[in-house]
Amino acid sequence: MARRAVVIGPAEYGPDSGIPSYSWISASARTYAEVLAGDDMWTSCRLVTQDELRTADGVMQAVQEVADQTEPDDVFMVVYVGHGAHWRDLPGPQVHFSVESSRRDSPWTWLSSWYLYRAMRKSEAKLKVLIADCCYSNELPKLGGSPDALGILDEGSCVLTATKNDWHYADAEGCPALPYPLSECTPFSGHLLNVLLRGTEDPNEQLTLGMVHDAVQAGMHRCVTSHDVPNMTLNGARERTRLFTNRMDPALRRRPPGLPVGTAEWVETLMRPQDVDLDLSNLLRDPRQTGKVVATLYEQRSDGGRAIAHEINKQANEQFAPREFARYWNQVERALRR
Ligand SMILES: [Zn+2]
């Protein structure tokens, strides 16, 4: 299994382009490339060159080059740091990414995210991840008007963005509370890179994007610089694929949790983000208990709870013999009838 990344960071724009040149963008892109190159879990990281950043063609050729290297068991990640725009009067409005020859009110000089999504969708990788640090990145999941433009309903993709809900603007100016050189990056990327460089208190040796998401969000919440919180969206499944090395000293991490007892403890443990990788086999040993947990998760009516309930239900369907399944289903059915 290979993990391959492309990092795109167009930072320099023409004096008449109407688009500000930000050193925070290039510093972020460079640092992503360094951090990924320094993580043994990553097979390759392609930093799009200054020359290629000039045009949409240059950027897409670099993306395609890496997409073509991916195989079915791989992870393909694209990191974009730059300016984002969204013209609602274009047919099928898409978020557009700037390239270094873009001009402010000339949509045709920008890279439509549609092309990037297309290249990612067609890549063979089993997991595709887009990290987008730009304005309007919150609009990305609506790409093409279809929820599965990037297979977003699949477990095989994930879009992590710097902006959330109705908030379109991502800050560019670095966060002074972060250590150098992360203070030279954009606030979102600086905080994200800080988590990749320092790790988290999670007991696991390797981090999923969900764990990184939670740690970045907590870090930005706690930060003495006020950030537009929560400022970060993770779309699609909270996938279980381990993506990054947890660089925190094991002595400083939390101890792995003991096995939960009873429905309430199981539900609480399952809902805790750091435990998404919890081995369900212990729960599935008791069909009745499994049914109660699934019923409670359904009743909570949260997306996160339902996603976990679906996963457990899937495993129950696969593993339980008819008699066990009946005991399980008896508990679940009551919740569904309410
Ligand atoms: Zn900060």
Side-chain angles (χ1 to χ4, degrees):
M1 169 186 174
R3 295 180 182 81
R4 299 187 187 280
V6 193
V7 180
I8 310 163
E12 302 280 337
Y13 301 87
D16 302 326
S17 65
I19 302 174
S21 298
Y22 287 149
S23 63
W24 305 292
I25 293 175
S26 45
S28 300
R30 260 198 324 273
T31 313
Y32 276 113
E34 282 165 22
V35 167
L36 292 174
D39 187 338
D40 289 345
M41 289 177 72
W42 286 83
T43 315
S44 69
C45 178
R46 168 84 151 83
L47 180 61
V48 177
T49 65
Q50 191 79 44
D51 219 27
E52 292 164 335
L53 288 170
R54 282 288 303 159
T55 61
D57 182 38
V59 170
M60 283 312 300
Q61 286 210 33
V63 169
Q64 194 60 53
E65 178 194 304
V66 180
D68 288 344
Q69 292 167 7
T70 58
E71 294 179 6
D73 210 25
D74 293 353
V75 175
F76 180 33
M77 181 165 83
V78 177
V79 180
Y80 175 81
V81 192
H83 293 279
H86 195 234
W87 287 278
R88 292 193 186 277
D89 55 349
L90 294 183
Q94 325 281 357
V95 174
H96 283 61
F97 298 123
S98 61
V99 295
E100 292 194 345
S101 58
S102 295
R103 296 190 306 278
R104 188 184 154 84
D105 290 317
S106 309
W108 62 92
T109 63
W110 294 56
L111 168 63
S112 168
S113 56
W114 195 93
Y115 294 115
L116 184 63
Y117 271 51
R118 184 175 184 274
M120 292 183 78
R121 198 171 64 232
K122 283 176 162 293
S123 110
E124 289 194 14
K126 70 162 184 198
L127 174 66
K128 296 141 189 181
V129 178
L130 173 61
I131 295 178
D133 183 2
C134 62
C135 293
Y136 293 98
S137 48
N138 55 315
E139 300 278 354
L140 276 170
K142 296 177 193 161
L143 191 71
S146 153
D148 59 354
L150 186 55
I152 278 161
L153 296 179
D154 289 351
E155 282 183 70
S157 71
C158 188
V159 182
L160 193 61
T161 66
T163 63
K164 179 175 164 109
N165 301 337
D166 295 333
W167 187 253
H168 298 314
Y169 303 102
D171 280 337
E173 190 170 342
C175 171
L178 289 169
Y180 179 86
L182 303 180
S183 52
E184 307 283 298
C185 301
T186 69
F188 171 77
S189 287
H191 274 277
L192 197 156
L193 288 160
N194 194 36
V195 168
L196 300 187
L197 277 170
R198 294 180 167 207
T200 76
E201 291 173 4
D202 192 280
N204 292 293
E205 293 295 317
Q206 298 173 339
L207 302 175
T208 64
L209 210 53
M211 292 171 190
V212 172
H213 164 272
D214 294 343
V216 173
Q217 210 167 41
M220 291 183 88
H221 260 292
R222 278 198 308 265
C223 187
V224 292
T225 312
S226 116
H227 296 292
D228 300 309
V229 282
N231 222 32
M232 192 177 187
T233 318
L234 178 65
N235 297 297
R238 297 181 68 88
E239 34 48 63
R240 282 146 202 263
T241 312
R242 307 282 168 172
L243 281 187
F244 308 100
T245 301
N246 187 358
R247 303 197 198 191
M248 186 163 287
D249 181 344
L252 299 174
R253 292 189 218 150
R254 281 192 312 274
R255 292 157 60 84
L259 211 54
V261 180
T263 308
E265 255 187 59
W266 266 111
V267 169
E268 199 211 321
T269 308
L270 289 165
M271 291 297 287
R272 239 182 275 143
Q274 68 272 17
D275 294 323
V276 286
D277 208 36
L278 195 78
D279 183 4
L280 291 172
S281 59
N282 287 306
L283 175 62
L284 290 160
R285 281 201 195 114
D286 182 344
R288 195 158 166 270
Q289 179 68 79
T290 305
K292 284 184 179 176
V293 168
V294 168
T296 309
L297 287 167
Y298 271 122
E299 280 167 356
Q300 287 190 345
R301 296 184 192 286
S302 69
D303 288 348
R306 292 213 160 172
I308 298 165
H310 278 302
E311 174 60 30
I312 301 172
N313 188 54
K314 198 176 110 203
Q315 295 198 23
N317 267 294
E318 287 163 7
Q319 293 177 27
F320 287 159
R323 188 184 293 251
E324 288 175 332
F325 191 82
R327 285 170 60 209
Y328 158 77
W329 190 248
N330 189 28
Q331 301 295 327
V332 178
E333 208 179 13
R334 274 184 230 168
L336 293 181
R337 257 189 266 127
R338 272 179 215 132

